[in-house]
C-alpha cells in the first residue's frame, strides 16, 4: 500500500551533495553536477552559449568501464582476460593494453571497477568517462572580425557574448599581436597540428588546402600501417572509420582558428595561414570518452603531429588519458587543452584533462575583447602559482571561424506559443509561466498552470506546490522544421518535475518523447532516458526522490541529442511532454523551460561566432605551431618557455593562472633564431 510523502521543511538543494557521497557520479563534492550549479535561463541562454560546452552532461557511461592491463599481460591476451572477468568486450586497444567492456545490468559502475581491480593482472580500471564536447592584414574578407588577432576596438555584430563589445578605446591592441608575428612567419606547413575534436569539415573553402595528407601512408593508434592510408586527412575514433568529417561544427571552428587558409580573398585567416591540419574525431554527436580521446592521442603522435589541440573536457580524472599525454611527451609533442566553461575555481573544482600535471600540457582560459577573464572561463586560485592548473589566457569570446548551417528554435522568445495540448483528467492543462528563480527567470510550460513547483524547489520558505489532480494524463507537443539530413539535432531543456514515488518507483511522473515526423510523439515516438542524479541512475519516469524524509523533485538542465531526427530526409522533429498521475496520492506537477532546439548541417562556405575556452585553446595551439615551425629544433618545453617569455601580463588572470599572462604571438616569435637546412622526417 502506498503512503503519502510528507512535505518536510525544504532545505537548500545544494545540501543534497552530502546525502549522496556514496554514489559514483558526485562522490566528490567538487565534481560538477547540475544540482549545485546555476541554471541557464532564457535571459542568458544563446546559441553560442550552448555551443561553448557549458552544458551539464553525464560524467560517464552507465554500462561500460575501461580496464588497463599490466605490461606482463600480452596484447593478445587482454581480450580473453577481460572476458574471464565476466565482461562483454567492446573495444580493444592492443598497443595501449586496455579494453572497453560492457557490465551486467545488475552491477553498478563502481562495483564493476572495484571487481576488475581485484584481478592481479589489472593495472587499473576506471569508468568510461565522457568528454564533450580556444605584417599587413591579409586579404581574407572577414579578417576584420578576428579581434583576437588584431583588436582595433571593432564591434562584433550580433554578438553572442555582449560584455566588452565594443571593448572601448583602451582595448586597442589587446590581442595576440599576430600581425607582428606574421612579419617573421605565417607558415606552419612543416608542422602537423592534430585537432582532437568533433572532426573537421575538410571540404570547406577555407580549410581544404591546409589539411594534412595521409593518403600515401599513415599508421593506426597501435603504430601499424593502415592499408590505403588516411585519404580523409585523419581518423574517426567516435564512429570507428577513416572519415573524420565534422558533424556538428565545433571541430571545424577550432581548426579554422588554428589554420584557415590565409590571403585567399575569402573568409578568415587562421593563426597559421599555411598549415597541416590533422582531423582526429574523438567526440561524436553528444561527446566522447577516455577511450576515444586516448586512441586519438596515440594516432596523432604515431602520425607525426607535434602540436595536439584538445578543446574538450570532463569532470573526471582518467589515468588512461594521462598516460597517453605522457606518451606524447616521450615523443616531444605539445598538448594544448581547454580550461572549461563552468566559471569554476580549479583550486577546488575539477576539469580534466586541464588539471593533469603532464609537463608537455598547457591549459588555456578565455579572455574577452578587453582582456578580462570571460565570465564562463574556469580559473585556478591555488596559492602557489606553480601548482595552478590553468596556465595562460587567450581570446575566447565572439571568436569568428568556420562553422556550418544551423537552424535554431528558442521557445522563450515566443512565450511557448503553438504547442498542442491534449489528454484527460483534472480541470487544467499545460500553460505558459514565467517564474522567478533568484535573479533569473525560467520561462516555460507548467502543469498545473502556476509556478508552485519552482517555488517549492528554489524560493524560501519552499511552500508546498499545488497538487495535481488524480488520474491525470496530460500531454503537450510541438513540431519543428529542420534541414533534411541534419547531422546533429539537439535539445537544451530545463525540467523540474515533482510527483509521487515509493523507493525508486514513480507513480505520478513526467515523460519526454520525441519523433521524426510532425505527428504526436506519444504514438510511435522515442521516450528519452535522462540522468537523475538524485537516484544515481538514468530514468524515463521523472518524479520526486525522498531522502531522509525530505522530498526532492527531479531536476535536469542539460542538452540531449535527438538521434532519431538526424541523418533523415524527413524535415520535422516533434518534442512532447507528458504528465501522468494515478488515482491515489498526488503531489506537485512539472514545469519545463529553457527549450532550445538546434539542427546543424555542414556547409563549405559558412562561418559563425563561438564562445568558450574551446575557442581560446586553438589560438594558443596556432601560436605554438608558428614557433615550432620557425625553429623545428625547439622541444615542447622550449615552446612553452617562449610562450611564457613572450606573454603579456594581464591583470584579470594574474592571480588565477600559473603565469598570469595572455598569449602574445609577436613577442613569442620575434626573437627566435630560425634554423635552416633541417629535413624533417615523420616517424
Amino acid at each position: 500500500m502506498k503512503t503519502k510523502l510528507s512535505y518536510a521543511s525544504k532545505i537548500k538543494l545544494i545540501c543534497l551533495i552530502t546525502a549522496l557521497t556514496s554514489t559514483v557520479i558526485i562522490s566528490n563534492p567538487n565534481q560538477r553536477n547540475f544540482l549545485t550549479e546555476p541554471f541557464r535561463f532564457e535571459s542568458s541562454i544563446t546559441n553560442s552559449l550552448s555551443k561553448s560546452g557549458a552544458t551539464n552532461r553525464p560524467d560517464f557511461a552507465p554500462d561500460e568501464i575501461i580496464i588497463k592491463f599490466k605490461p606482463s599481460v600480452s596484447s593478445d591476451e587482454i581480450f580473453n582476460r577481460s572476458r574471464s572477468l565476466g565482461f562483454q568486450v567492446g573495444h580493444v586497444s592492443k598497443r595501449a593494453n586496455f579494453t572497453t567492456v560492457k557490465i551486467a545490468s545488475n552491477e553498478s559502475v563502481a562495483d564493476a571497477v572495484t571487481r576488475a581491480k581485484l584481478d592481479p593482472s589489472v593495472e587499473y580500471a576506471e569508468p568510461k568517462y565522457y568528454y564533450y564536447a580556444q605584417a599587413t592584414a591579409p586579404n581574407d574578407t572577414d579578417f576584420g572580425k578576428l579581434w583576437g588577432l588584431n583588436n582595433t576596438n571593432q564591434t562584433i555584430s550580433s554578438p553572442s557574448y555582449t560584455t566588452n563589445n565594443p571593448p572601448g578605446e583602451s582595448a586597442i591592441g589587446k590581442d595576440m599581436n599576430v600581425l607582428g608575428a606574421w612579419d617573421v612567419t605565417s607558415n606552419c606547413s612543416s608542422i602537423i597540428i592534430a585537432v582532437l575534436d568533433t572532426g573537421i569539415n575538410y571540404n570547406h573553402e577555407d580549410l581544404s588546402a591546409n589539411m594534412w595528407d595521409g593518403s600515401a601512408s599513415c599508421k593506426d593508434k597501435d603504430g601499424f600501417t593502415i592499408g590505403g592510408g588516411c585519404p580523409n586527412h585523419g581518423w574517426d575514433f567516435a564512429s570507428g572509420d577513416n572519415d573524420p568529417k565534422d558533424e556538428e561544427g565545433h571541430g571545424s571552428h577550432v581548426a579554422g582558428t588554428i589554420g584557415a587558409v590565409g590571403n585567399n580573398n575569402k573568409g578568415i585567416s587562421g593563426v597559421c595561414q599555411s598549415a597541416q591540419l590533422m582531423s582526429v574525431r574523438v567526440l561524436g554527436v553528444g561527446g566522447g570518452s577516455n577511450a576515444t580521446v586516448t586512441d586519438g592521442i596515440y594516432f596523432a603522435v604515431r602520425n607525426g603531429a607535434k602540436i595536439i589541440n584538445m578543446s574538450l573536457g570532463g569532470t573526471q580524472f582518467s589515468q588512461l588519458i594521462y598516460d597517453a599525454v605522457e606518451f606524447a611527451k616521450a615523443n616531444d609533442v605539445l598538448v594544448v587543452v581547454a580550461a572549461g566553461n563552468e566559471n569554476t575555481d580549479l583550486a577546488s573544482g575539477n576539469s580534466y584533462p586541464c588539471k593533469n600535471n603532464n609537463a608537455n600540457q598547457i591549459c588555456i582560459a578565455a579572455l574577452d575583447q578587453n582582456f578580462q577573464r570571460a565570465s564562463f572561463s574556469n580559473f585556478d586560485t591555488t596559492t602557489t602559482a606553480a601548482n595552478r592548473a590553468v596556465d595562460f589566457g587567450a581570446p575566447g569570446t565572439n571568436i569568428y571561424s568556420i562553422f556550418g548551417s544551423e537552424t535554431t528554435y528558442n521557445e522563450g522568445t515566443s512565450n511557448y506559443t503553438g504547442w498542442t495540448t491534449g489528454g484527460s483528467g483534472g480541470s487544467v492543462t499545460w500553460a505558459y509561466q514565467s517564474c522567478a528563480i533568484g535573479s533569473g527567470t525560467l520561462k516555460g510550460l507548467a502543469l498545473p498552470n502556476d509556478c508552485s513547483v519552482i517555488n517549492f524547489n528554489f524560493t524560501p520558505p519552499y511552500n508546498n506546490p499545488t497538487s495535481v489532480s488524480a488520474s491525470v494524463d496530460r500531454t503537450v507537443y510541438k513540431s519543428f522544421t529542420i534541414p533534411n539530413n541534419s547531422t546533429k539535432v539537439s535539445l537544451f531543456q530545463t525540467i523540474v518535475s515533482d510527483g509521487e514515488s515509493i523507493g525508486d518507483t514513480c507513480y505520478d511522473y513526467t515523460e519526454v518523447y520525441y519523433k521524426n515526423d510532425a505527428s504526436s510523439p506519444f504514438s510511435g515516438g522515442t521516450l528519452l532516458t535522462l540522468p537523475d542524479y538524485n537516484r544515481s541512475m538514468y530514468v524515463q519516469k521523472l518524479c520526486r526522490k525522498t531522502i531522509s524524509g525530505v522530498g526532492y523533485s527531479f531536476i535536469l538542465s542539460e542538452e540531449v541529442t535527438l538521434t532519431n531526427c538526424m541523418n533523415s530526409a524527413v524535415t520535422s522533429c516533434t518534442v512532447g511532454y507528458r504528465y501522468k498521475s494515478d488515482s491515489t496520492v498526488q503531489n506537485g506537477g512539472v514545469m519545463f523551460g529553457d527549450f532550445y532546439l538546434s539542427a546543424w548541417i555542414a556547409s563549405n562556405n559558412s562561418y559563425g561566432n563561438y564562445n568558450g575556452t574551446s575557442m581560446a585553446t586553438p589560438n594558443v595551439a596556432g601560436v605554438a605551431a608558428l614557433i615550432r615551425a620557425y625553429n623545428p629544433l625547439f622541444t615542447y618545453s622550449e615552446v612553452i618557455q617562449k610562450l611564457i617569455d613572450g606573454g603579456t601580463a594581464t591583470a584579470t588572470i594574474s592571480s588565477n593562472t600559473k603565469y598570469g599572462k595572455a598569449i602574445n604571438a609577436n613577442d613569442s616569435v620575434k626573437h627566435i633564431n630560425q634554423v635552416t637546412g633541417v629535413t624533417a622526417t615523420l616517424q
Side-chain angles (χ1 to χ4, degrees), residues 429-680:
T429 188
W430 299 84
Y432 171 76
Q433 295 292 334
S434 178
C435 303
I437 304 182
S439 60
T441 301
L442 179 64
K443 299 178 181 179
L445 295 179
L447 179 78
N449 53 358
D450 59 29
C451 293
S452 63
V453 72
I454 301 299
N455 297 335
F456 172 58
N457 286 280
F458 300 105
T459 307
Y462 310 111
N463 292 325
N464 295 349
T466 305
S467 295
V468 175
S469 300
S471 303
V472 161
D473 185 354
R474 290 286 184 175
T475 61
V476 61
Y477 68 90
K478 187 172 182 178
S479 180
F480 302 89
T481 302
I482 62 174
N484 63 334
N485 296 314
S486 297
T487 55
K488 181 183 181 183
V489 180
S490 64
L491 168 63
F492 185 89
Q493 60 185 339
T494 293
I495 301 174
V496 181
S497 176
D498 205 61
E500 180 195 5
S501 69
I502 297 179
D504 287 327
T505 301
C506 294
Y507 293 93
D508 302 345
Y509 55 86
T510 303
E511 296 175 322
V512 187
Y513 290 83
Y514 78 97
K515 191 176 184 181
N516 186 27
D517 64 29
S519 65
S520 168
F522 309 109
S523 175
T526 299
L527 178 59
L528 281 178
T529 301
L530 301 170
D532 183 351
Y533 291 155
N534 289 346
R535 298 167 185 272
S536 308
M537 64 176 66
Y538 289 74
V539 297
Q540 294 181 329
K541 292 179 170 60
L542 319 180
C543 70
R544 84 167 29 197
K545 172 73 171 180
T546 300
I547 302 173
S548 300
V550 180
Y552 295 93
S553 302
F554 174 96
I555 301 173
L556 172 142
S557 186
E558 72 165 40
E559 181 182 26
V560 294
T561 303
L562 305 182
T563 306
N564 293 346
C565 288
M566 292 163 26
N567 299 301
S568 170
V570 178
T571 59
S572 293
C573 188
T574 304
V575 180
Y577 299 81
R578 180 179 206 163
Y579 190 90
K580 299 187 71 173
S581 66
D582 65 8
S583 59
T584 57
V585 175
Q586 278 71 50
N587 289 333
V590 60
M591 180 174 181
F592 73 89
D594 280 347
F595 187 103
Y596 187 91
L597 187 143
S598 66
W600 188 90
I601 192 166
S603 167
N604 292 337
N605 56 8
S606 293
Y607 303 80
N609 280 329
Y610 257 141
N611 300 313
T613 56
S614 283
M615 286 54 260
T617 304
N619 272 316
V620 181
V623 175
L626 283 176
I627 296 171
R628 202 144 206 189
Y630 196 64
N631 190 329
L633 296 184
F634 268 14
T635 63
Y636 75 79
S637 60
E638 289 173 312
V639 174
I640 294 174
Q641 191 59 52
K642 279 296 179 183
L643 295 173
I644 297 169
D645 294 343
T648 301
T650 302
T652 61
I653 57 171
S654 62
S655 60
N656 53 37
T657 61
K658 182 178 292 186
Y659 303 111
K661 293 183 175 183
I663 294 298
N664 185 314
N666 176 69
D667 289 355
S668 294
V669 172
K670 206 72 169 180
H671 303 294
I672 297 175
N673 292 321
Q674 184 178 20
V675 175
T676 59
V678 175
T679 301

Side-chain angles (χ1 to χ4, degrees), residues 289-503:
S289 70
N290 39 349
T292 59
V293 173
T294 296
D295 285 343
I297 294 171
Y298 278 97
F299 176 88
V301 174
R302 295 192 188 284
N303 285 285
K306 286 302 178 184
I307 306 289
I308 293 177
N309 188 100
M310 296 202 301
S311 291
L312 52 83
T315 61
Q316 304 292 326
F317 168 77
S318 168
Q319 187 68 49
L320 207 64
I321 292 177
Y322 185 93
D323 291 346
V325 177
E326 286 295 291
F327 176 76
K329 182 179 74 174
N331 287 271
D332 194 27
V333 178
L334 176 65
V335 180
V336 190
V337 305
N341 303 321
E342 294 76 41
N343 189 28
T344 294
D345 186 349
L346 299 187
S348 56
N350 288 338
S351 181
Y352 292 99
C354 175
K355 285 192 73 170
N356 291 351
N357 62 356
N358 308 84
N360 61 322
Q361 174 183 289
I362 54 176
C363 177
I364 313 303
L367 301 175
D368 69 19
Q369 291 162 251
N370 199 22
F371 266 30
Q372 305 291 306
R373 181 181 66 86
S375 60
F376 54 78
S377 179
N378 288 351
F379 55 97
D380 189 344
T381 63
T382 298
T383 303
T384 303
N387 294 333
R388 293 172 186 160
V390 184
D391 295 285
F392 300 99
T397 65
N398 294 323
I399 303 300
Y400 191 74
S401 186
I402 288 152
F403 193 48
S405 176
E406 187 173 39
T407 300
T408 62
Y409 296 94
N410 183 350
E411 285 299 282
T413 62
S414 65
N415 292 343
Y416 292 79
T417 58
W419 288 73
T420 300
T421 60
S424 61
S427 59
V428 297
T429 188
W430 299 84
Y432 171 76
Q433 295 292 334
S434 178
C435 303
I437 304 182
S439 60
T441 301
L442 179 64
K443 299 178 181 179
L445 295 179
L447 179 78
N449 53 358
D450 59 29
C451 293
S452 63
V453 72
I454 301 299
N455 297 335
F456 172 58
N457 286 280
F458 300 105
T459 307
Y462 310 111
N463 292 325
N464 295 349
T466 305
S467 295
V468 175
S469 300
S471 303
V472 161
D473 185 354
R474 290 286 184 175
T475 61
V476 61
Y477 68 90
K478 187 172 182 178
S479 180
F480 302 89
T481 302
I482 62 174
N484 63 334
N485 296 314
S486 297
T487 55
K488 181 183 181 183
V489 180
S490 64
L491 168 63
F492 185 89
Q493 60 185 339
T494 293
I495 301 174
V496 181
S497 176
D498 205 61
E500 180 195 5
S501 69
I502 297 179

Side-chain angles (χ1 to χ4, degrees), residues 35 74 114 130 145 154 169 200 222 246 317 365 411 424 445 545 592 598:
L35 296 177
S74 73
T114 300
Y130 288 142
K145 298 179 181 179
Q154 63 265 59
E169 292 183 7
I200 299 176
D222 296 320
D246 197 355
F317 168 77
E411 285 299 282
S424 61
L445 295 179
K545 172 73 171 180
F592 73 89
S598 66

Side-chain angles (χ1 to χ4, degrees), residues 162-183:
T162 57
T163 303
N164 288 327
N165 177 48
E169 292 183 7
S170 62
I172 292 176
K174 288 185 176 178
D175 52 45
M176 296 195 303
N177 199 354
V178 170
L179 291 181
W182 285 348
D183 285 338

Side-chain angles (χ1 to χ4, degrees), residues 31-73:
Q31 292 172 8
R32 176 164 60 104
N33 87 89
F34 58 74
L35 296 177
T36 65
E37 296 178 342
F39 286 96
R40 295 195 317 196
F41 305 112
E42 298 289 1
S43 59
S44 62
I45 184 171
T46 69
N47 184 20
S48 291
L49 266 178
S50 66
K51 291 184 290 191
S52 74
T55 59
N56 299 292
R57 298 182 171 100
D59 288 337
F60 56 85
D63 56 354
E64 293 178 276
I65 66 170
I66 303 287
I67 303 175
K68 173 68 182 293
F69 289 91
K70 294 178 178 177
S72 58
V73 180

